[in-house]
């Protein structure tokens, strides 16, 4: 049984100089990538990526200005992709700003066909590692927030029902099972109701 064919990775190229863009595109093709769309600037980058769904974005530019950085940040927030930037500016401030905006690889030496494939592979690996780490951190943050909600709901149950923590937890758990809801959702409802009761019981 033959192995399934390797998926050809697609690229969106952003370059405002046609001659330079043609060189970059040929370097992509020589490295096994397919340029599916070319843009002159990053103005509508997020919309273009949403429409064309490239595997990665290549930006070839003299120096990333504020508009370019803002458009890359918007893409990273809404439809993240590995971004490789080929630039002439090697100032550390520009490099740091580009990385913060979502660039996976910032290359100053220019496009060299012999090194393009390695650069793009590193960018993809960094992108995947970063987003795996971010997903893990978001999961931990969500778990901590859930724990805070449950602890607060338990505290309110203990206060109003005059019971200990295990009994409050069992009451919360039973409510969740009876309603077929997540404990955090039940905890959120309990907090809303009991805090409202406390406000209403305050002396006028």
């Amino acid at each position: 049984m033959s192995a399934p064919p390797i998926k050809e990775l697609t690229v969106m190229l952003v370059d405002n100089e046609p001659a330079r863009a043609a060189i970059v595109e040929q370097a992509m093709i020589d490295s096994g990538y397919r340029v599916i769309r070319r843009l002159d600037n990053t103005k509508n980058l997020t919309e273009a990526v949403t429409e064309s769904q490239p595997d990665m974005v290549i930006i070839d530019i003299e120096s990333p200005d504020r508009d370019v950085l803002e458009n890359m940040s918007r893409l990273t927030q809404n439809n993240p992709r590995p971004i490789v930037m080929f630039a002439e500016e090697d100032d550390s401030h520009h490099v740091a700003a580009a990385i913060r905006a979502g660039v996976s690889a910032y290359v100053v030496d220019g496009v060299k066909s012999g090194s393009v494939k390695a650069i793009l592979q590193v960018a993809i690996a960094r992108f995947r590692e970063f987003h795996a780490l971010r997903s893990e951190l978001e999961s931990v943050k969500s778990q901590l927030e859930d724990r805070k909600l449950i602890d607060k709901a338990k505290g309110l149950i203990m206060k109003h029902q005059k019971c200990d923590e295990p009994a409050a937890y069992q009451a919360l758990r039973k409510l969740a099972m009876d309603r077929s809801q997540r404990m955090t959702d039940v905890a959120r409802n309990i907090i809303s109701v009991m805090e409202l009761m406390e406000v209403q019981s305050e002396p006028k």
Side-chain angles (χ1 to χ4, degrees):
M1 184 177 179
S2 60
I6 298 175
K7 180 182 180 292
E8 182 182 40
L9 295 180
T10 57
V11 171
M12 178 175 289
L13 174 61
V14 182
D15 196 323
N16 63 353
E17 294 187 9
R20 185 177 62 189
I23 295 173
V24 176
E25 183 169 350
Q26 188 58 54
M28 297 297 114
I29 294 171
D30 292 343
S31 300
Y33 296 86
R34 180 165 61 92
V35 177
I36 59 172
R37 188 167 179 179
R38 186 193 297 177
L39 303 177
D40 292 332
N41 55 64
T42 61
K43 183 178 179 181
N44 297 310
L45 181 60
T46 299
E47 292 78 7
V49 168
T50 300
E51 182 179 325
S52 300
Q53 294 295 314
D55 293 309
M56 64 190 313
V57 176
I58 307 295
I59 299 176
D60 195 13
I61 195 170
E62 288 85 3
S63 176
D65 59 25
R66 186 180 66 180
D67 289 340
V68 170
L69 294 172
E70 287 179 354
N71 290 326
M72 287 193 304
S73 294
R74 183 166 166 248
L75 173 64
T76 299
Q77 291 171 3
N78 294 284
N79 197 353
R81 292 288 191 282
I83 302 174
V84 175
M85 177 171 284
F86 293 96
E88 297 177 8
E89 181 59 68
D90 63 353
D91 176 76
S92 60
H93 171 74
H94 287 89
V95 176
I99 297 298
R100 285 195 300 270
V103 168
S104 303
Y106 188 102
V107 184
V108 180
D109 294 336
V111 180
K112 299 177 182 178
S113 58
S115 60
V116 165
K117 188 171 185 178
I119 290 170
L120 268 56
Q121 287 176 338
V122 168
I124 292 171
R126 283 179 177 172
F127 173 82
R128 289 174 177 168
E129 182 179 358
F130 172 78
H131 281 274
L133 178 59
R134 189 169 75 170
S135 296
E136 185 177 342
L137 289 174
E138 288 175 351
S139 176
V140 170
K141 181 181 177 181
S142 177
Q143 290 174 15
L144 289 173
E145 290 173 350
D146 289 351
R147 173 53 56 190
K148 288 180 181 179
L149 279 174
I150 291 172
D151 286 345
K152 185 173 183 178
K154 283 192 303 183
L156 288 170
I157 293 172
M158 291 166 65
K159 177 181 177 181
H160 285 266
Q161 301 297 324
K162 309 296 183 186
C163 63
D164 58 15
E165 184 177 353
Y169 179 82
Q170 288 302 321
L172 185 60
R173 185 169 180 271
K174 185 176 186 303
L175 273 173
M177 293 177 64
D178 291 345
R179 298 179 181 181
S180 298
Q181 292 181 326
R182 295 170 63 242
M183 283 186 66
T184 49
D185 294 332
V186 174
R188 191 176 289 107
N189 292 335
I190 288 174
I191 292 168
S192 298
V193 170
M194 291 192 171
E195 286 184 343
L196 180 60
M197 290 171 58
E198 289 181 346
V199 171
Q200 291 175 343
S201 64
E202 291 177 355
K204 303 296 183 181

